[in-house]
Amino acid sequence: MISTPIDKNRRPSFHFDLNEEEFGVIGLVVVQWAFLEHALLERTAKLAERARIAVPKDALSFSFTRRLRAFRDLVDQAIKRKAAKDKIFNLISRIARAEGYRHRIAHGLWSYNPKRLEQLWAINRRRPYVEPFNIKKLVDFGNSIEELSFELIHPGGWRLSLFMRRDKKTGNWFGGGTPRSLLLRLREQNPIQP
């Protein structure tokens, strides 16, 4: 849609007829993918350090495909156990599949199905293709990216000791933190009086 402002200080612009929740879940995918890219670099650097070899040049490339390939080559070179190598190669394949899907979300032109208003479309103009989306599909994809990132950073899985420590004397656990969303909700419920 074209937005023509009444305010003389603003200029006309394009406005996408998506609601806040739709913009939010598209943003969820973008934010999760940015963290996945960070996780990939962190895992690549740790593996190179453990193998006592230099971080591959392509691990710092602008191209995500090159960074993923550099990680794969490093795994092939640095990890000897077949089972461990196969597990990581499987993760790399899942990330590669997710990359194509993420491209459609991040680079598609967003519209909607005029016959089913709740269905969003990401349109690829280079290859005439329309990818149908809805909020649930986008949230599910964002969640799958979260899982890929976790597997990259914590390949051995989850255990409480990754995030908290136990006091040897008392046996009590401590650490972790309070989620920002909870702190904001508490602030909303109990505003600070000046």
Side-chain angles (χ1 to χ4, degrees):
M1 294 173 44
I2 295 177
S3 175
T4 309
I6 296 171
D7 181 351
K8 299 276 187 216
N9 295 324
R10 296 205 48 211
R11 298 181 197 159
S13 62
F14 289 105
H15 171 79
F16 293 90
D17 198 8
L18 303 172
N19 65 36
E20 282 184 31
E21 188 176 19
E22 292 164 340
F23 273 118
V25 295
I26 293 166
L28 167 78
V29 169
V30 171
V31 168
Q32 287 294 350
W33 193 265
F35 186 76
L36 178 110
E37 292 189 20
H38 162 77
L40 178 63
L41 179 58
E42 184 175 301
R43 180 77 187 275
T44 302
K46 283 183 180 178
L47 182 57
E49 181 182 336
R50 198 177 85 209
R52 295 184 178 149
I53 57 179
V55 173
K57 181 182 167 196
D58 276 349
L60 302 171
S61 171
F62 281 114
S63 164
F64 182 79
T65 303
R66 283 186 181 170
R67 284 180 275 155
L68 191 59
R69 189 178 311 124
F71 178 59
R72 187 185 195 297
D73 293 345
L74 181 61
V75 167
D76 198 31
Q77 179 182 355
I79 295 183
K80 303 302 177 204
R81 280 191 25 233
K82 183 178 176 359
K85 192 181 286 195
D86 288 347
K87 182 179 177 184
I88 299 171
F89 284 165
N90 177 274
L91 175 61
I92 291 168
S93 294
R94 290 173 24 233
I95 292 170
R97 283 191 301 276
E99 181 188 13
Y101 199 72
R102 197 257 342 163
H103 276 296
R104 294 192 291 279
I105 294 168
H107 302 294
L109 293 175
W110 285 91
S111 188
Y112 60 91
N113 182 341
K115 293 180 181 174
R116 294 179 55 207
L117 297 178
E118 69 284 350
Q119 185 181 68
L120 298 173
W121 282 347
I123 302 165
N124 182 339
R125 293 287 182 195
R126 285 180 259 164
R127 286 177 276 159
Y129 180 74
V130 173
E131 174 88 28
F133 287 99
N134 60 33
I135 289 173
K136 182 184 179 334
K137 190 174 177 181
L138 290 165
V139 167
D140 289 347
F141 182 61
N143 291 341
S144 72
I145 299 169
E146 291 174 4
E147 293 167 1
L148 294 170
S149 295
F150 192 88
E151 279 185 65
L152 273 170
I153 292 178
H154 300 291
W158 182 89
R159 42 187 200 286
L160 192 58
S161 62
L162 289 171
F163 309 102
M164 300 181 75
R165 283 182 250 152
R166 190 173 213 154
D167 184 285
K168 291 179 182 177
K169 291 179 184 174
T170 65
N172 294 332
W173 288 93
F174 65 95
T178 306
R180 175 180 178 259
S181 55
L182 175 61
L183 293 173
L184 288 171
R185 206 169 333 128
L186 291 171
R187 185 191 299 164
E188 233 175 63
Q189 292 170 359
N190 300 312
I192 298 171
Q193 299 299 321

